[in-house]
Amino acid sequence: GQNSRLYKSIVYKAQLATAAYSYHYALAKDGMFALGANLIPGKSVKSLKPLFDQEIKSLRETVVSEKELQAAKVQVMKY
């Protein structure tokens, strides 16, 4: 959503895209997690990788606050 870390980083802060998103596709044994963005015309795809890498690193190293967790749960329950 527009309040996610990824969206804020890619769309608002870096101004590289009109949208940024992630999704999780669960399977019985394995799954897939993907990140994506709708680039603004003229912006480079290569400029996204460091930002994606930074967000993944942040998720691994930074504890999610209770406020952020609750907001994510509300977002998931909408769908």
Side-chain angles (χ1 to χ4, degrees), residues 2-79:
Q2 294 181 358
N3 290 319
S4 71
R5 295 178 188 185
L6 181 66
Y7 195 96
K8 288 177 183 177
S9 173
I10 305 290
V11 176
Y12 295 136
K13 188 176 176 184
Q15 299 184 353
L16 292 174
T18 58
Y21 47 87
S22 64
Y23 62 91
H24 168 247
Y25 183 65
L27 300 171
K29 293 186 179 182
D30 297 317
M32 179 177 70
F33 178 75
L35 302 174
N38 298 344
L39 280 176
I40 292 173
K43 300 294 183 178
S44 168
V45 172
K46 290 180 181 181
S47 61
L48 284 176
K49 185 171 181 339
L51 296 174
F52 283 158
D53 291 344
Q54 180 181 350
E55 289 305 316
I56 291 169
K57 182 179 178 184
S58 175
L59 283 172
R60 288 180 176 163
E61 297 176 353
T62 306
V63 175
V64 175
S65 71
E66 185 63 29
K67 181 179 177 181
E68 189 175 10
L69 178 60
Q70 290 305 319
K73 286 180 180 181
V74 168
Q75 185 72 20
V76 168
M77 294 308 290
K78 287 181 180 180
Y79 301 100

